[in-house]
Amino acid sequence: MQCNICEVRCEINKHSMGRCGTYVSTGNKITQYPGMGYLGAYPISIEAVPLHHFYPSGKFLQIFSTGCNFQCPGCMARMPASSRPPSQQSSLSPSEIVKRVLQQECLGVVSAINDPVANYYLFRDLAVQAQEKNLLVGCSTNCYFTSETLEEFGQLVDFVNVGIKGYSDRGYKNCGVTSSTPVFRNISRLFDMGVHVETSVAYSKGNEDDVIKVAEAVSDISSTIPLHVMRFLPFGYAPIELEPSVGEAEKICSALHRYLDFVYLFNSPGTKLLNTYCPECGNLLIEREFYRPFGSRLVKPWVSHKCSCGYSIPVQGKASTEGFSEAGLIDSYSISQAFSMVHAVLTCLGVLDDYKLMDIWGEDKLMDVWSKVSNPKTLTQIHYMIRQPYSYLEFIRFIAEKANMPKKGEELVSFIHKRLKIVQNLSAGKSSYYVYYCMGSPFFALNAGRMENNLVTFSGGVSINKQLQKEGKLGVSVSPSFINEHNPGVIFVSGFLSRPLDEFYALCQKYEIHVDAVTQHRVYEIPPSWDFGSPRWILGLMYIADKLHPGKLEVDLKKEADDFYLQFYGMRFKEARPNRSFHRPSSGIWPHTQTLYNDLKMEMPKQGSTKNFDNEIIQPFNILPALISSSKDDRKGVKPQ
């Protein structure tokens, strides 16, 4: 039977569960996989979806399950999106979700992380039960529904954030589907149906024209629809060269204001473009601060939506007078991040084949981790384990035990422990430097208790971040006066969300940050994933120690990096093309995937021309992920679309 939920229109039969991998045929109709439910349910602030013009600071219960109809390269939620359906014992039913919404006094429920397209019948049951309790219902979605399904879907939801892959068909073909047309058609129809619609689009270097066309297309529907610009972060196979700087992203957002009244910039700590400005007079109406790559939070409650010039901002629903802050790793981005950190350890243990990784994840061994990661207590436990150098070793042992690879786990622990002792002996003499650790901007300080600041203190430095009283996800905004008053002699810029040093120094000059680290050019950008998220932090620790104790570490950092990469990735550091991935050391072809790469290359005449295959293989939206996904579908008996 043909599935008509989305425009992929998979054939569902006894041999195929479709692209989503979550549907079955009972002979005369298509249903959800038996016993399928939701894997997690956590309260979040609505800005985490993100939505900026719907019940500001409202508390919603975020839910997620598995499956997706898209196969996007570099997807941050790839683990849950591509996992097999959960068993009834490890998931939550719609009635249990509604019960939690009421118990936790949330305004409603929002489906995120994986797309509700993959769980449509489950989501429909939930929406109906939620509406009966007068609860709000919404989701993040690629909105690739068929017209017939959208008519029903529009009656089920109060709000959506539609993730747009681009205006041209190319972006959609890179995700394994054919066209952008259904998405813009569906956005228009949802808007006409009275659903609150906000949109998101990724901006990478080279797709400026496409992003502008997205803004034009959205403005044709309504210029009041907010557009959230996601500064592209290269994960998976994507090379870091495609990541625009924060400054470049701010420039394109300014260009988009020619078409849309409200444009917001994400993945950019310290930017002012999370704020809402009056489209008529330009007045600052509400201030937000960076709270996570895909989220923000209000600095103060948004009580009035009317500007002094008389313009009324189209915001739906009453704003909460008290903002809700998620603890630890409990929110959509942080949950995905937690899986990425587990993935990073597994990679170092030798689980390099994605098929094997998914098999391990689905077995009781790591399904135990998966179900525990869905448990707030374990999320809290992991949150604290990854914040200190020695407790991180226990995190490695925890994952190694679940993967039944204790010996490999101890090899990794031993490598890190030996170098911890070297730095610990060096730092016994302390460093004379006061140290400031920021992310992306000099005005965004990492939280005092984060791993990065603990690496500084472990190395003997004095972290001025420890003076911060306020906390937020990743960090908090600070003023130039805070930096100047503490006068750090060294500034480290996070390896996860960074900013080119020329932009960094320019901002310091513009806002008169005249500390020793700036005037004496001791601002250092940590290599990607060398200070958080991956066991590679041990290399970051040695890098930090070397800067805080010049000439005293007596360790060849290049050799240390080569040793780590050879032992745990099977490649030299100098051969790696780094990006923002926690688990991947390179955006190119790993040695262990070379055979697969060669096999695919041999198959290319059947698929199309082999011209430029070697160059295209490392592009962010390349053919390799789609071919791998097709191979995986064939393994499962899924008919490739």
Side-chain angles (χ1 to χ4, degrees):
M1 295 184 65
Q2 188 180 67
C3 176
N4 291 318
I5 293 174
C6 88
E7 291 286 358
V8 176
R9 298 183 187 270
C10 296
E11 192 68 28
I12 308 294
N13 52 48
K14 63 180 181 179
H15 302 296
S16 168
M17 294 172 66
R19 175 76 64 79
C20 296
T22 59
Y23 294 106
V24 295
S25 172
T26 60
N28 58 356
K29 69 176 183 177
I30 294 172
T31 64
Q32 207 80 65
Y33 183 83
M36 189 168 182
Y38 289 102
L39 288 172
Y42 314 102
I44 63 166
S45 173
I46 193 69
E47 286 79 13
V49 177
L51 275 91
H52 278 178
H53 291 209
F54 189 82
Y55 287 82
S57 292
K59 181 182 177 184
F60 285 75
L61 193 74
Q62 175 193 266
I63 57 171
F64 66 96
S65 188
T66 62
C68 187
N69 59 333
F70 279 20
Q71 300 165 337
C72 304
C75 175
M76 291 188 68
R78 187 180 66 85
M79 190 66 69
S82 58
S83 295
R84 65 190 64 182
S87 65
Q88 193 167 7
Q89 291 77 18
S90 62
S91 59
L92 299 164
S93 68
S95 59
E96 289 172 316
I97 294 295
V98 171
K99 184 177 180 180
R100 289 198 182 192
V101 175
L102 296 171
Q103 286 176 339
Q104 300 194 42
E105 299 180 335
C106 297
L107 294 173
V109 61
V110 55
S111 175
I113 300 183
N114 78 302
D115 203 292
V117 167
N119 322 119
Y120 182 69
Y121 300 125
L122 182 70
F123 181 77
R124 184 178 64 184
D125 291 345
L126 170 61
V128 170
Q129 292 185 42
Q131 288 175 341
E132 290 173 353
K133 298 294 183 180
N134 296 315
L135 297 170
L136 297 167
V137 178
C139 65
S140 293
T141 176
N142 57 45
C143 214
Y144 211 65
F145 294 103
T146 59
S147 295
E148 53 266 39
T149 301
L150 189 83
E151 291 302 312
E152 180 181 56
F153 175 75
Q155 301 296 326
L156 299 174
V157 293
D158 300 287
F159 62 94
V160 295
N161 182 310
V162 179
I164 301 173
K165 306 304 178 184
Y167 178 77
S168 71
D169 291 342
R170 179 187 175 191
Y172 283 85
K173 288 178 180 178
N174 288 326
C175 293
V177 295
T178 58
S179 172
S180 66
T181 301
V183 176
F184 291 103
R185 176 199 69 201
N186 291 343
I187 292 173
S188 181
R189 179 60 185 143
L190 288 173
F191 185 83
D192 290 342
M193 293 175 76
V195 176
H196 178 82
V197 178
E198 301 193 20
T199 56
S200 299
V201 65
Y203 161 50
S204 61
K205 281 189 177 181
N207 79 331
E208 290 83 359
D209 291 343
D210 200 60
V211 170
I212 290 173
K213 288 180 180 178
V214 166
E216 288 184 275
V218 173
S219 71
D220 287 342
I221 302 169
S222 173
S223 65
T224 64
I225 295 176
L227 177 64
H228 304 284
V229 177
M230 303 296 172
R231 185 173 68 91
F232 181 70
L233 299 180
F235 290 91
Y237 297 91
I240 205 162
E241 290 78 14
L242 285 165
E243 177 182 326
S245 71
V246 176
E248 290 169 332
E250 289 173 335
K251 287 180 181 178
I252 195 162
C253 286
S254 296
L256 299 181
H257 274 292
R258 296 199 302 266
Y259 309 98
L260 294 169
D261 295 337
F262 307 101
V263 179
Y264 300 103
L265 177 60
F266 290 78
N267 297 340
S268 305
T271 184
K272 298 294 184 183
L273 297 187
L274 287 172
N275 300 334
T276 297
Y277 299 90
C278 176
E280 290 292 324
C281 68
N283 279 344
L284 173 63
L285 299 180
I286 194 67
E287 189 177 359
R288 299 181 186 86
E289 64 180 351
F290 178 92
Y291 198 53
R292 63 181 64 73
F294 306 130
S296 65
R297 69 174 175 185
L298 296 178
V299 174
K300 61 181 179 181
W302 196 354
V303 178
S304 174
H305 303 148
K306 193 170 185 178
C307 179
S308 59
C309 75
Y311 182 88
S312 184
I313 306 298
V315 175
Q316 186 172 336
K318 184 179 179 181
S320 174
T321 55
E322 293 184 13
F324 175 75
S325 297
E326 307 87 5
L329 294 171
I330 302 176
D331 65 67
S332 58
Y333 166 72
S334 296
I335 293 167
S336 297
Q337 191 181 53
F339 289 123
S340 295
M341 289 186 282
V342 172
H343 195 173
V345 173
L346 287 171
T347 299
C348 289
L349 300 186
V351 183
L352 302 177
D353 187 323
D354 283 352
Y355 303 134
K356 183 179 179 183
L357 173 67
M358 297 310 301
D359 287 343
I360 290 176
W361 200 277
E363 293 171 0
D364 289 340
K365 301 168 188 174
L366 269 179
M367 194 64 200
D368 185 29
V369 177
W370 176 220
S371 61
K372 284 183 177 180
V373 167
S374 300
N375 184 321
K377 291 183 179 179
T378 302
L379 283 169
T380 300
Q381 178 187 2
I382 291 175
H383 175 66
Y384 286 106
M385 290 172 77
I386 62 173
R387 289 167 66 137
Q388 294 285 354
Y390 278 111
S391 63
Y392 190 97
L393 302 185
E394 297 309 310
F395 176 60
I396 293 172
R397 290 188 173 108
F398 173 69
I399 301 302
E401 178 186 351
K402 296 303 178 184
N404 196 26
M405 304 177 77
K407 185 177 179 180
K408 290 292 294 183
E410 286 305 315
E411 286 181 23
L412 180 57
V413 166
S414 177
F415 186 100
I416 294 175
H417 187 270
K418 178 180 178 181
R419 285 141 185 93
L420 282 177
K421 287 296 185 183
I422 293 172
V423 175
Q424 199 167 21
N425 291 334
L426 176 66
S427 63
K430 298 294 181 182
S431 169
S432 60
Y433 289 122
Y434 284 86
V435 180
Y436 177 50
Y437 221 123
C438 57
M439 179 177 281
S441 162
F443 312 120
F444 190 80
L446 289 173
N447 279 337
R450 282 183 61 91
M451 175 65 126
E452 296 92 330
N453 289 312
N454 292 331
L455 295 182
V456 168
T457 54
F458 192 91
S459 300
V462 180
S463 171
I464 70 169
N465 298 58
K466 301 291 185 180
Q467 303 300 314
L468 294 169
Q469 299 301 312
K470 180 182 175 184
E471 281 206 1
K473 285 299 175 73
L474 302 184
V476 294
S477 297
V478 298
S479 65
S481 61
F482 171 82
I483 306 170
N484 284 329
E485 286 169 8
H486 291 85
N487 190 28
V490 170
I491 294 177
F492 291 115
V493 183
S494 166
F496 181 51
L497 295 178
S498 59
R499 182 189 287 260
L501 291 185
D502 58 341
E503 282 189 15
F504 192 96
Y505 279 112
L507 282 174
C508 290
Q509 182 177 9
K510 179 179 179 180
Y511 292 96
E512 298 182 346
I513 298 174
H514 45 69
V515 298
D516 290 347
V518 173
T519 59
Q520 298 172 24
H521 287 83
R522 287 197 295 265
V523 179
Y524 306 107
E525 182 182 357
I526 305 293
S529 299
W530 272 29
D531 54 358
F532 173 72
S534 165
R536 296 196 292 269
W537 64 258
I538 187 59
L539 301 176
L541 174 66
M542 290 188 286
Y543 180 92
I544 289 169
D546 184 58
K547 299 303 181 185
L548 298 185
H549 305 273
K552 296 182 180 179
L553 183 61
E554 296 182 354
V555 167
D556 185 338
L557 288 175
K558 290 184 179 179
K559 182 180 183 303
E560 289 293 321
D562 264 352
D563 288 348
F564 185 93
Y565 276 61
L566 278 170
Q567 185 169 344
F568 300 108
Y569 298 136
M571 66 189 307
R572 293 184 181 277
F573 169 64
K574 64 182 179 182
E575 297 166 352
R577 302 185 184 101
N579 63 11
R580 302 298 180 192
S581 294
F582 289 161
H583 75 285
R584 291 186 63 87
S586 174
S587 61
I589 301 300
W590 287 29
H592 77 280
T593 58
Q594 189 66 45
T595 301
L596 173 61
Y597 164 75
N598 290 333
D599 290 345
L600 291 174
K601 195 171 179 180
M602 291 293 291
E603 293 292 326
M604 284 301 290
K606 301 176 184 179
Q607 305 286 339
S609 173
T610 58
K611 184 180 179 181
N612 293 328
F613 186 83
D614 292 309
N615 292 328
E616 292 174 0
I617 204 71
I618 63 167
Q619 295 303 311
F621 306 117
N622 56 73
I623 196 168
L624 182 58
L627 291 175
I628 291 175
S629 296
S630 296
S631 300
K632 181 176 71 173
D633 286 347
D634 290 342
R635 288 168 181 243
K636 291 164 53 179
V638 178
K639 181 180 179 180
Q641 297 301 312

